[in-house]
């Protein structure tokens, strides 16, 4: 996907997550609805941090359940760690869980729950901590940054 020229809300997570991921994806849905008149200028991306379990089909189904303007992205672990590191987003799982993923397929991955707002030039503009997410503030921030009223 090419998000150049658009504001991008970005989140790192995984489809088996039972914590921040469904909550943050719910925020993506609300933001997408609130900013729907700017859908050509705003995009939402979920980057999977679980290459072992999250196939492209699985991620697509996950993000599509939250809205049409949300994109699901996957890559290998090395590339994902590199991109996440660029945003100071970290994730890890218990190595024992990963070794036994076939017999324990619902293991969790510890990760930061930040949502990032990136401007059309690719600059990181704002970081929203999971504990402080508020849709109205995020909408106001977008209007201010994009110079909308």
């Amino acid at each position: 996907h090419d998000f150049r020229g658009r504001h991008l809300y970005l989140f790192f997570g995984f489809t088996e997550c039972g914590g921040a991921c469904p909550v943050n994806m719910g925020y993506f849905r609300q933001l997408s609805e609130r900013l729907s008149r700017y859908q050509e200028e705003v995009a939402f991306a979920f980057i999977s941090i679980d290459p072992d379990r999250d196939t492209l089909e699985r991620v697509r189904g996950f993000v599509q359940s939250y809205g049409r303007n949300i994109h699901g992205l996957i890559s290998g672990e090395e590339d994902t760690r590199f991109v996440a590191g660029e945003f100071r987003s970290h994730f890890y799982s218990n190595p024992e869980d990963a070794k036994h993923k076939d017999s324990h397929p619902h293991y969790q991955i510890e990760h930061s729950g930040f949502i990032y707002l990136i401007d059309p030039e690719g600059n990181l503009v704002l970081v929203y901590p999971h504990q402080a997410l508020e849709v109205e503030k995020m909408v106001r921030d977008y209007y201010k940054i994009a110079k909308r009223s």
Side-chain angles (χ1 to χ4, degrees), residues 5-35:
R6 301 171 79 183
H7 287 88
L8 176 67
Y9 288 91
L10 176 67
F11 173 63
F12 295 90
F14 63 110
T15 62
E16 287 280 335
C17 180
C21 299
V23 172
N24 284 6
M25 293 301 289
Y27 282 109
F28 270 16
R29 176 186 315 167
Q30 292 176 52
L31 279 167
S32 179
E33 290 168 358
R34 293 289 309 278
L35 300 174

Side-chain angles (χ1 to χ4, degrees), residues 13-18 21 48-54 81 90-94 97 106-112:
F14 63 110
T15 62
E16 287 280 335
C17 180
C21 299
S48 172
I49 58 171
D50 189 0
D52 289 335
R53 293 179 292 183
D54 283 348
R81 285 197 183 280
H90 303 285
F91 58 94
Y92 64 92
S93 61
N94 182 331
D97 286 343
H106 302 293
Y107 64 89
Q108 294 296 298
I109 298 173
E110 296 297 322
H111 63 98
S112 52

Side-chain angles (χ1 to χ4, degrees), residues 103-137:
S103 60
H104 183 57
H106 302 293
Y107 64 89
Q108 294 296 298
I109 298 173
E110 296 297 322
H111 63 98
S112 52
F114 301 125
I115 291 178
Y116 304 90
L117 177 56
I118 301 162
D119 72 14
E121 290 77 39
N123 302 305
L124 178 62
V125 178
L126 287 170
V127 178
Y128 297 98
H130 174 71
Q131 302 83 352
L133 293 175
E134 183 185 323
V135 172
E136 292 305 317
K137 179 182 181 343

